[in-house]
């Protein structure tokens, strides 16, 4: 008889919610999260879909399932899972214990309503609810569920036509008087210093989107990677995190057209993620997808291409592996290359090819359940 044991490393960041899971479910959930992080979406969702009964409505399962569908741009299905989780909490005898989870699920639903229905009223309500909840919480006491709430607090306004000022936007968590940084950057740095690297990585994309310059974005990425270097023993997957950060830097330097830095970070990413794959015995779409995207972005930045056909080929690959977010990006770039008056190729593209590409992109948005960017 095989004896199951807790993993040495956790890929999920909501470990405080693991206490209600039996060991078998916990291990399967961790495997689903790992596959999502490696962009193996079909494998990840097969595990989530295998959860039934009460397990399927466990708060941590619903949150991670919703996040996985969002990462894949399957907005309508993400809405369904978040609704199911919120309904289960409302009908639970331990409703008060899951108060924070309910706030996060409502924020997810608000964002999804903005994406699917173009309704933004819920975003305003969720930003207010999260602020009222976290206003008295000092950064040192913030929980893993509250980290997710902070991420959504800063993300939701970007889904609306309103500015932060119109949202009566206020900074959380509140910094101490002598802190040089505030808000989500303050929280990310605290999490790094506390060795909570999964949560810091979770915040990174939202954080850098709010930073004022590319130099500040690069500094934020380097800061997280350097923090991992200082950690000799951890339940956090520092190798994977360093590889994921390196890939973000690869994309950044590609967009900037810095070929030397691009090549250096490409080596760092490949080394870290290859080692991670050997340790976990799993394949990864992450490295192939992001390095392919980076090559295309570098070509665009250095005016050495790529052609609309190259973007379409990348879109075909992304569709095959279920990475619909990347497929949207690739199709949009292909269409821009066809209609850009500065492009040397634009005049050579047949009108029917442009129309077919528009139809494919619009059809994809319709299937995913989003109004965004429809032509």
């Amino acid at each position: 008889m095989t004896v199951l044991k807790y993993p040495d490393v956790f890929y999920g960041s909501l470990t405080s919610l693991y206490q209600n899971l039996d060991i078998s479910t916990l291990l399967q959930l961790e495997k689903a999260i790992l596959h999502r992080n490696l962009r193996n979406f079909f494998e990840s969702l097969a595990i989530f879909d295998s959860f039934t009964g009460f397990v399927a409505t466990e708060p941590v399962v619903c949150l991670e399932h919703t996040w996985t569908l969002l990462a894949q741009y399957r907005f309508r299905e993400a809405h369904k899972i978040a609704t199911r989780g919120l309904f289960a909490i409302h009908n639970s005898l331990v409703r008060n214990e899951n108060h924070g989870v309910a706030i996060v699920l409502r924020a997810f639903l608000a964002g999804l309503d903005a994406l699917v229905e173009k309704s933004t009223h819920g975003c305003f309500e969720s930003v207010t609810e999260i602020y009222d909840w976290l206003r008295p919480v000092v950064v040192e006491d913030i929980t893993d569920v509250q980290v997710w709430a902070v991420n959504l607090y800063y993300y939701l306004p970007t889904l609306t036509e309103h500015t932060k000022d119109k949202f009566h936007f206020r900074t959380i968590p509140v910094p101490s008087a002598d802190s040089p940084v505030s808000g989500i950057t303050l929280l990310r740095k605290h999490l790094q210093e506390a060795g909570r690297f999964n949560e810091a990585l979770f915040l990174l994309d939202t954080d850098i989107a709010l930073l004022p310059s590319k130099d500040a974005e690069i500094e934020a990425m380097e800061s997280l990677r350097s923090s991992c270097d200082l950690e000799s023993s951890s339940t956090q997957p520092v190798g994977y995190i360093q590889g994921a950060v390196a890939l973000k830097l690869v994309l950044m330097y590609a967009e900037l057209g810095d070929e030397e830095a691009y090549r250096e970070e490409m080596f760092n990413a490949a080394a870290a993620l290859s080692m991670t794959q050997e340790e976990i015995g799993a394949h990864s779409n992450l490295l192939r997808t992001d390095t392919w995207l980076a090559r295309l972005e570098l070509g665009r930045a250095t005016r050495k291409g790529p052609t609309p056909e190259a973007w379409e080929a990348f879109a075909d690959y992304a569709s095959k592996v279920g990475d619909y977010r990347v497929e949207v990006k690739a199709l949009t770039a292909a269409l821009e290359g066809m209609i850009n008056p500065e492009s040397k190729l634009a005049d050579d593209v047949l009108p029917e090819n442009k129309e077919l590409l528009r139809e494919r992109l619009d059809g994809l948005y319709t299937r995913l359940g989003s109004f965004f960017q429809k032509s």
Side-chain angles (χ1 to χ4, degrees):
M1 179 178 176
T2 303
V3 178
L4 300 177
K5 66 183 186 72
Y6 282 91
D8 297 323
V9 171
F10 290 95
Y11 287 86
S13 64
L14 293 169
T15 53
S16 71
L17 300 178
Y18 283 5
Q19 57 188 343
N20 293 330
L21 303 179
D22 62 68
I23 183 65
S24 177
T25 301
L26 187 156
L27 292 172
Q28 283 296 100
L29 176 61
E30 275 287 310
K31 189 175 180 181
I33 294 168
L34 170 60
H35 275 301
R36 178 196 65 213
N37 291 353
L38 296 177
R39 301 265 265 281
N40 306 332
F41 289 112
F42 294 137
E43 293 88 339
S44 178
L45 289 170
I47 296 172
F48 281 114
D49 291 342
S50 73
F51 294 139
T52 58
F54 291 115
V55 172
T57 59
E58 273 292 327
V60 66
V61 173
C62 284
L63 286 172
E64 294 287 7
H65 195 175
T66 300
W67 188 252
T68 301
L69 290 164
L70 271 173
Q72 203 185 12
Y73 265 33
R74 290 167 68 170
F75 303 116
R76 190 179 290 111
E77 292 169 73
H79 195 286
K80 178 182 176 181
I81 298 301
T83 300
R84 182 171 72 188
L86 195 57
F87 180 81
I89 290 174
H90 286 166
N91 288 279
S92 170
L93 296 176
V94 291
R95 185 164 51 208
N96 291 338
E97 293 180 15
N98 292 316
H99 171 70
V101 175
I103 289 175
V104 173
L105 285 170
R106 280 194 289 272
F108 269 135
L109 288 170
L112 288 162
D113 283 340
L115 288 164
V116 178
E117 305 292 343
K118 210 172 183 179
S119 170
T120 59
H121 180 69
C123 291
F124 175 83
E125 290 184 340
S126 279
V127 163
T128 302
E129 183 178 36
I130 293 170
Y131 177 80
D132 291 341
W133 179 36
L134 297 184
R135 179 177 52 185
V137 179
V138 296
V139 68
E140 291 79 10
D141 294 337
I142 207 155
T143 68
D144 49 12
V145 176
Q146 290 170 336
V147 168
W148 279 50
V150 170
N151 193 54
L152 286 162
Y153 180 79
Y154 284 94
Y155 175 67
L156 288 179
T158 68
L159 299 178
T160 76
E161 297 174 355
H162 300 293
T163 64
K164 290 180 184 177
D165 292 337
K166 289 183 179 178
F167 262 75
H168 306 291
F169 199 84
R170 292 157 290 190
T171 298
I172 57 170
V174 177
S176 58
D178 59 349
S179 174
V181 294
S182 63
I184 194 169
T185 300
L186 170 71
L187 178 57
R188 176 185 51 77
K189 289 191 171 185
H190 165 73
L191 294 172
Q192 291 171 195
E193 292 167 2
R196 294 164 65 178
F197 303 124
N198 278 329
E199 294 163 87
L201 181 64
F202 182 77
L203 292 178
L204 186 60
D205 283 343
T206 303
D207 183 19
I208 61 179
L210 298 169
L211 293 174
S213 67
K214 294 295 183 184
D215 286 342
E217 293 176 29
I218 292 170
E219 182 182 351
M221 296 182 218
E222 292 283 13
S223 171
L224 175 53
R225 181 163 61 178
S226 297
S227 296
C228 290
D229 281 336
L230 301 174
E231 188 64 47
S232 58
S233 177
S234 175
T235 58
Q236 309 275 298
V238 292
Y240 158 73
I241 292 169
Q242 289 179 314
V245 171
L247 275 180
K248 293 180 188 297
L249 286 164
V250 167
L251 286 165
M252 172 71 71
Y253 288 126
E255 291 169 1
L256 293 173
D258 187 335
E259 296 188 56
E260 182 178 352
Y262 159 85
R263 284 193 293 270
E264 180 180 347
E265 292 301 341
M266 187 77 81
F267 174 82
N268 291 336
L273 290 173
S274 295
M275 188 178 301
T276 299
Q277 286 176 233
E278 289 178 10
E279 290 174 357
I280 62 179
H283 76 286
S284 170
N285 292 320
L286 174 62
L287 186 61
R288 184 181 182 191
T289 301
D290 278 12
T291 52
W292 192 340
L293 174 60
R295 284 195 300 271
L296 293 171
E297 291 289 4
L298 182 65
R300 183 154 62 172
T302 56
R303 299 188 181 278
K304 298 176 182 177
T307 65
E309 289 78 13
W311 282 110
E312 275 198 86
F314 183 44
D316 291 341
Y317 156 78
S319 179
K320 183 178 179 180
V321 299
D323 202 334
Y324 305 123
R325 178 186 66 83
V326 170
E327 184 184 2
V328 165
K329 182 180 181 70
L331 290 175
T332 302
L335 188 58
E336 288 174 353
M338 287 183 178
I339 63 179
N340 182 359
E342 296 181 2
S343 171
K344 297 177 181 178
L345 302 163
D347 292 336
D348 298 328
V349 177
L350 296 174
E352 53 265 36
N353 290 346
K354 296 177 187 177
E355 191 57 35
L356 285 171
L357 195 58
R358 283 195 183 94
E359 288 177 2
R360 176 178 172 181
L361 184 57
D362 285 350
L364 178 59
Y365 276 120
T366 299
R367 183 158 54 88
L368 298 173
S370 172
F371 73 91
F372 264 173
Q373 303 291 332
K374 285 189 179 178
S375 52

